[in-house]
Amino acid sequence: MFDFLEGYDLLGAFWVTVKLTVYSALGSLIWGTLLAGMRVGPVPLMRGFGTAYVNIVRNIPLTVIIVFASLGLFQTLQVELGGGGDFEVINFRLAVLALALYTAAFVCEALRSGINTVPAGQAEAARALGLSFTQVLRLVILPQAFRSVVNPLANVLIALTKNTTVAAAIGVVEAAYLMKDMIEAEAQLILISAVFAFGFVCLTLPTGLLLGWVSKKVAVKR
Amino acid sequence: MTTSVLFDAQGPRAKQRNILYTVAFVVVLAAVAWWVYTSLDEKHQLDWVKWEPFFTSPQPWQTYIWPGLQNTLKAAFFALLIALPLGALFGIGRLSDHRWVRMPSGVVVEFFRAIPVLILMITANAAYAEFTDLATEDRLLYAVVTGLVLYNASVLAEIVRAGILSLPYGQTDAAKAIGMRKGQTMGYVLLPQSVTAMLPAIVSQIVVIVKDTALGGAVLTFPELLASVRPMSANYGANTIACFTIIALIYIALNFALTSFASWLERRLRRGKKSTGAVVGAGPDGGIKTIGTPNLVTEDGRAT
């Protein structure tokens, strides 16, 4: 029944999906945290930059950003991100860059809502002790904010996992790309779709359940 | 907590330090801007010839952008039109007292939420090609709309469910007390009230729908706004950057208007005295969070 799978690197394609997800998740977490820091910080210019970034990036389709990375950055401006002329490597890195830049806007917003859950008294107490803004943020606010936004961040991560399929638009051979290939070559539409749907359910469902459990564990009880 | 609590009113030293940070940040931004400028200039992407078509003649707008935008809006409109009642049906289905209604609704909603829209679109496209004899351009529109409907109906179902759950239980009690049947309670009491609570989330979901139409252009060759970049830049002398800039600006303007409208609506509803004050806010990329009834629904719309 599943002999149409022969000759296709199904696991390999899903492995690329996983790699795209993990690398962009790390990138967006770092950049998103920095953006959140800027947005709540005392420097007006940085606040303005953070706000502008989030509002602009959130409103552009991810597809536009990813296709731009390929057509604009790579083919027009010859940005190769150290890929050394290897299309596969370049496209993969461009996809990670685009996914991370896009997802960071959502990470930033999730974190900012987490910062708002920390009672004002804590920041006041920390300031009264003479901590600077960076210290207040790093030692008191962010650790608690992160614990309260595990659930929203899990949603961002799940959305990111599904969004990696957009990389198919620039020829990164991940799950959606392979699926399109297989549908064109094989006459097994329903089975092929079922296999890929099942693959994504396997990726996203455990993530949601695991992080849902983690969020209950680590949430600060108030 | 207002964010200004994080730092003190600034004294002279803090002000000086802020000026220092500002200057450093300006330097970083300027360096990035300079790098962008020089690399664009090197590839002649800033030449007036490449930008001029958009400003001096209506031709690119008439031939490429407007038809593309029309297709984008058409797909988004139909997707919303079909997904909204479907979502309401499944959302209410999940709240049913009958296990045989609640379970299948839950399975359908969770299933389509777990699968990427692109996978749904590709499947729908192939299915229409195999089982129907639609003309190609119709088929692409149908495929894009089908993919969008399946995903967004399941997200809207969660919004509807969160909206209904956000109402105080006393409403149902009161309806029961005056002898209303379950259908009446839902139709006359719960649904009309929860619609206001849901509105901001629904408007934000339109942004997600508009953004996802671009997938149809990039992968299925549905001739929407993003798809107009290739023929346009081929026609006006490889002005890729200029084309992308114009397209991106249109998306930003369109979606920013929707996002601003959603948050204005949310603020207004939250302030309103007539409603219950509960508002279903929009979460990241189709997630849902409920504001106003913290213990009823968790961040992703699951009842606790």
Side-chain angles (χ1 to χ4, degrees):
Chain A
M1 183 175 160
F2 285 100
D3 46 346
F4 64 90
L5 287 173
E6 269 168 44
Y8 292 101
D9 191 7
L10 189 69
L11 284 180
F14 269 105
W15 179 234
V16 175
T17 298
V18 171
K19 279 199 292 187
L20 278 174
T21 310
V22 172
Y23 288 138
S24 356
L26 287 175
S28 63
L29 200 60
I30 295 168
W31 181 222
T33 309
L34 283 175
L35 280 172
M38 284 188 204
R39 285 202 75 173
V40 298
V43 183
L45 185 71
M46 288 185 176
R47 276 207 302 269
F49 173 80
T51 312
Y53 182 93
V54 168
N55 279 324
I56 290 173
V57 171
R58 253 196 326 186
N59 288 319
I60 306 180
L62 170 66
T63 323
V64 172
I65 301 178
I66 288 195
V67 174
F68 174 79
S70 174
L71 289 184
L73 276 185
F74 172 51
Q75 283 173 28
T76 309
L77 301 179
Q78 264 116 48
V79 175
E80 294 196 342
L81 299 176
D86 183 349
F87 288 128
E88 227 166 274
V89 179
I90 296 170
N91 281 338
F92 180 83
R93 288 186 184 173
L94 287 171
V96 169
L97 178 74
L99 283 165
L101 289 179
Y102 177 79
T103 313
F106 296 94
V107 172
C108 168
E109 286 309 89
L111 259 183
R112 215 163 58 96
S113 74
I115 290 174
N116 284 331
T117 65
V118 182
Q122 299 218 4
E124 282 166 1
R127 269 171 37 214
L129 289 173
L131 299 188
S132 71
F133 166 73
T134 341
Q135 283 172 320
V136 175
L137 200 62
R138 195 165 50 88
L139 300 173
V140 181
I141 306 295
L142 271 186
Q144 297 186 65
F146 265 115
R147 289 170 62 172
S148 68
V149 294
V150 173
N151 221 337
L153 282 183
N155 285 339
V156 174
L157 182 65
I158 289 171
L160 170 65
T161 312
K162 295 188 286 173
N163 278 341
T164 55
T165 52
V166 184
I170 61 169
V172 177
V173 188
E174 43 66 74
Y177 188 93
L178 182 71
M179 176 187 168
K180 201 165 179 267
D181 243 23
M182 283 172 72
I183 282 183
E184 272 159 24
E186 309 281 330
Q188 288 282 10
L189 172 63
I190 313 279
L191 268 184
I192 294 174
S193 301
V195 165
F196 281 93
F198 178 72
F200 273 98
V201 172
C202 284
L203 284 181
T204 54
L205 218 57
T207 315
L209 290 176
L210 179 74
L211 288 174
W213 177 77
V214 171
S215 91
K216 284 212 181 77
K217 279 263 163 205
V218 301
V220 184
K221 306 277 186 303
R222 295 189 210 286
Chain B
M1 185 180 77
T2 51
T3 49
S4 59
V5 183
L6 287 175
F7 47 87
D8 279 304
Q10 284 143 13
R13 270 177 64 199
K15 271 188 186 144
Q16 266 180 5
R17 210 166 45 227
N18 274 355
I19 291 171
L20 204 72
Y21 288 146
T22 308
V23 170
F25 195 64
V26 165
V27 169
V28 173
L29 281 185
V32 173
W34 177 249
W35 174 80
V36 170
Y37 172 78
T38 46
S39 39
L40 285 177
D41 199 38
E42 229 172 74
K43 307 292 178 207
H44 305 290
Q45 288 295 320
L46 292 174
D47 297 358
W48 178 236
V49 209
K50 308 223 173 211
W51 292 80
E52 178 255 315
F54 297 108
F55 297 102
T56 53
S57 86
Q59 205 221 345
W61 298 89
Q62 278 169 2
T63 325
Y64 302 107
I65 297 176
W66 179 235
L69 184 61
Q70 268 181 321
N71 276 333
T72 293
L73 295 177
K74 210 195 308 183
F77 175 75
F78 283 129
L80 186 72
L81 201 68
I82 304 170
L84 213 47
L86 212 59
L89 206 68
F90 277 100
I92 295 171
R94 284 198 85 172
L95 292 170
S96 168
D97 287 339
H98 306 289
R99 212 179 139 79
W100 59 272
V101 178
R102 202 170 57 226
M103 285 282 287
S105 313
V107 169
V108 168
V109 167
E110 292 299 332
F111 179 73
F112 285 111
R113 252 168 25 127
I115 296 171
V117 189
L118 183 55
I119 299 270
L120 295 173
M121 279 186 193
I122 294 173
T123 307
N125 188 36
Y128 286 134
E130 200 172 320
F131 303 120
T132 66
D133 36 62
L134 289 163
T136 313
E137 62 257 48
D138 289 338
R139 192 190 72 216
L140 292 174
L141 177 66
Y142 278 46
V144 170
V145 171
T146 308
L148 290 173
V149 163
L150 290 177
Y151 174 70
N152 289 291
S154 65
V155 175
L156 287 168
E158 290 298 272
I159 293 177
V160 169
R161 194 165 72 110
I164 291 171
L165 285 176
S166 74
L167 295 173
Y169 196 71
Q171 304 270 354
T172 313
D173 278 342
K176 273 184 192 159
I178 57 169
M180 280 188 167
R181 278 179 279 113
K182 276 189 291 189
Q184 288 175 316
T185 310
M186 186 58 78
Y188 295 130
V189 180
L190 299 181
L191 211 51
Q193 287 189 80
S194 58
V195 163
T196 45
M198 288 184 264
L199 267 181
I202 292 174
V203 176
S204 317
Q205 197 56 30
I206 304 177
V207 176
V208 177
I209 296 179
V210 168
K211 289 201 294 184
D212 280 349
T213 56
L215 278 172
V219 184
L220 301 184
T221 68
F222 174 59
E224 48 68 71
L225 192 54
L226 172 62
S228 60
V229 166
R230 273 175 200 270
M232 208 155 55
S233 88
N235 236 338
Y236 295 111
N239 56 347
T240 315
I241 305 285
C243 290
F244 266 110
T245 311
I246 300 284
I247 296 292
L249 283 177
I250 296 173
Y251 275 116
I252 293 168
L254 186 64
N255 290 334
F256 187 72
L258 285 169
T259 329
S260 311
F261 178 59
S263 51
W264 173 81
L265 214 57
E266 200 172 321
R267 270 201 311 278
R268 204 192 132 94
L269 291 175
R270 201 92 55 84
R271 234 186 14 234
K273 292 249 160 41
K274 278 183 187 159
S275 77
T276 55
V279 178
V280 183
D285 251 16
I288 302 139
K289 58 182 200 269
T290 309
I291 304 149
T293 49
N295 294 323
L296 209 54
V297 176
T298 56
E299 288 280 331
D300 65 347
R302 277 166 231 271
T304 45

